[in-house]
Amino acid sequence: MKFCCGKRFGGATIVAGLAAILAGCASVPEPASAPAGPSITADMLVGNWGLASYHKDADRARTETAARAQCNKPYVISRGPSGGVMMYLADQPQAQELVVKRAGDGKTYVGPAGDPPGGDLDREVISFDNGVFVTQWVDPEVVNRYGTMVFARCASK
Amino acid sequence: MRRNTRLWFAALGFCLLSLALPGGRAGGSAKAGEDSGPADEMQIDDQPGYEPSADQEQLDPQYQRQLVFYRTSEAPGTIIIQTAERYLYLVQGNNRAMRYGIGVGRDGFQWRGLVKISRKLEWPDWRPPPEMIERQPYLPRFMAGGPGNPLGARAMYLGATVYRIHGTNQPQTIGSAVSSGCFRLVNPDVIDLYGRVPVGTKVIVRQAPSVEG
């Protein structure tokens, strides 16, 4: 039994060694890093937006369509007095000035100026293109409740 | 404090519909009721995004789903809603019915009639009424079905009316008059009911206490 197990161990060592050698021949993987967020400015957020939300990725496309249909009751983002944007934090009925923040890992956030990027009150901007931007609250409890937010720019009148 | 803000919503309760329901009158064959509202009318608004725990969805014994003695001439498979009792019965035959505790329309939004289930939806989408957007402008104007959705896990549309039997994320409203004419069940119950009834199911909405049971 002892012989048996020692032999197995030896085999495993050889296999592991070969694997290490083979792995060494391949390119060394880069350390995992978070994908960078979109590069945006406060000005790009100003305007009227249709707002919708979803929880499941499968609902994203139709939620985007739904967001475009909500311009009769738009979410209005205006310019703030200090160069930021007037938006609502989760569950806060009063708009307040928020700023666009860029974190060291390249992620983009919108939130209170005093908080570091990725603070609990921030929302991460996941994407921004084709007149649609998608955000997700940093606070997981808020994400659970409201899901991922899709803003679709309303056509100017 | 922030949590309190989330959970407290004053004033009017709405049927969990995006549509306004003038006078709470039903379309189709449903008729508006004349009865005055019950004493236990609640003043609570929808709580979009709120997810009740399993414990919170545990109802008081009187409103828990159960098989009960129920005498009726209606065929098995028929749904009978007794608004005044806050119960929905699914007739089983042999003088039995599955009974579910429900929340009903508040004063002025109750109705009675005979309809059929015209459509069924899992995890229905929800659109807050404009009044709610005004008070809570941070809300999405459309919320795809999912946890925290005020319409809950399932919806069964009643005929051509704007009313539905649906789930809820507010289990505390079961047994109360809070909606604008829809009937709400806790999510485990609405999932159970949904699995038992097909489109075309006859639904009888009554207001007075049953004289058959």
Side-chain angles (χ1 to χ4, degrees), chain B residues 187-210:
Chain B
N187 283 339
D189 281 1
V190 81
I191 290 171
D192 179 89
L193 178 64
Y194 187 96
R196 293 173 185 265
V197 297
V199 168
T201 294
K202 181 179 176 183
V203 179
I204 301 167
V205 180
R206 294 177 177 156
Q207 286 193 303
S210 171

Side-chain angles (χ1 to χ4, degrees), chain A residues 13 20 23-24 72 83 88 90 94 107 123 125 145:
Chain A
T13 304
N72 56 337
Y88 301 97
Q94 295 299 323
K107 289 186 175 181
R123 75 190 91 200
V125 182
R145 293 189 293 112

Side-chain angles (χ1 to χ4, degrees), chain A residues 51 53 62 73 91 141 145, chain B residues 6 49 125 141-142 144:
Chain A
L51 174 59
S53 75
R62 69 189 191 88
K73 27 189 182 186
D91 306 308
E141 190 268 335
R145 293 189 293 112
Chain B
R6 284 176 191 150
D125 301 330
R141 281 57 169 161
F142 166 97

